[in-house]
Amino acid sequence: MVVLSVPAEVTVILLDIEGTTTPIAFVKDILFPYIEENVKEYLQTHWEEEECQQDVSLLRKQAEEDAHLDGAVPIPAASGNGVDDLQQMIQAVVDNVCWQMSLDRKTTALKQLQGHMWRAAFTAGRMKAEFFADVVPAVRKWREAGMKVYIYSSGSVEAQKLLFGHSTEGDILELVDGHFDTKIGRKVESESYRKIADSIGCSTNNILFLTDVTREASAAEEADVHVAVVVRPGNAGLTDDEKTYYSLITSFSELYLPSSP
Ligand SMILES: CSCCC(=O)C(=O)COP(=O)(O)O
Ligand SMILES: [Mg+2]
């Protein structure tokens, strides 16, 4: 088995979710279709609720920022003019969400609504999150060795907690010391990793970030974070240069902690 030694200065392991702890197929074939199939009914049922109105406001603000993009779907401001107006508005939100999802956008607005929609499915036990078999044993081992384990995903913190709280391995939320999402910044920007280190109270070089996306690895590395690229079944392929440049692992069990027995 290939072994990657974790540098002695590392005290925090920061994990991506999709393509790293969890198969991309679970996200693409289960989580995302749930949104596309249920968004219209969800909006119709929850429209009057404060949380739903906040989600729509955030999506409208994002739509304004996206107006220059090809195929962007605007969300009109509410005029309060009757049932037809409301149905048009709901349809615009549905079309906007589906357009963003067709591009796999990682906007905070989209991710916030998705998190709220998944809540009902997870808490009712209709959905359980999948984790690669090596994830939970490795995380337990790292924590026993004194490592802190954090999550940094484009999925909202609320969605992350749903996944870890309702998984095929049971409730594994207690294995995570903290969560970050795009509210701290985009995963492809190095400043986000500096802010994460500040928030944890460590230096960036105390962190090892595991991700499947090389643009994220590159941003983290620019901030002096240690990185390893995770190669999982179903992940996007890497170029030969990327394979040469990055430390690669195919399982969390390939990480060797100097402090572990
Ligand atoms: C944690 S919620 C489900 C995944 C998701 O919506 C997503 O965008 C995953 O992005 P990641 O940064 O974990 O690759
Ligand atoms: Mg990922």
Side-chain angles (χ1 to χ4, degrees), residues 149-240:
V149 177
Y150 287 78
I151 305 297
Y152 183 27
S153 169
S154 301
S156 68
V157 165
E158 198 172 346
Q160 296 172 25
K161 289 181 177 171
L162 286 168
L163 261 65
F164 281 80
H166 304 84
S167 85
T168 51
E169 322 279 322
D171 180 351
I172 50 169
L173 205 46
E174 61 169 28
L175 296 182
V176 178
D177 291 283
H179 300 258
F180 298 97
D181 61 19
T182 52
K183 284 191 180 148
I184 203 141
R186 296 172 68 227
K187 295 175 78 184
V188 293
E189 285 167 10
S190 53
E191 189 54 23
S192 309
Y193 299 86
R194 293 187 194 101
K195 286 185 184 162
I196 286 175
D198 274 356
S199 168
I200 295 173
C202 67
S203 299
T204 50
N205 66 1
N206 297 137
I207 301 177
L208 169 65
F209 178 47
L210 305 182
T211 180
D212 59 317
V213 175
T214 52
R215 281 183 70 209
E216 295 173 3
S218 164
E221 206 177 45
E222 208 180 302
D224 210 18
V225 164
H226 296 275
V227 298
V229 172
V230 184
V231 178
R232 300 286 200 181
N235 284 6
L238 302 174
T239 64
D240 288 343

Side-chain angles (χ1 to χ4, degrees), residues 57 78 82 93 128 135 157 168 174 210 233 244 261:
S57 294
V93 177
K128 285 205 188 301
V135 172
V157 165
T168 51
E174 61 169 28
L210 305 182
T244 311

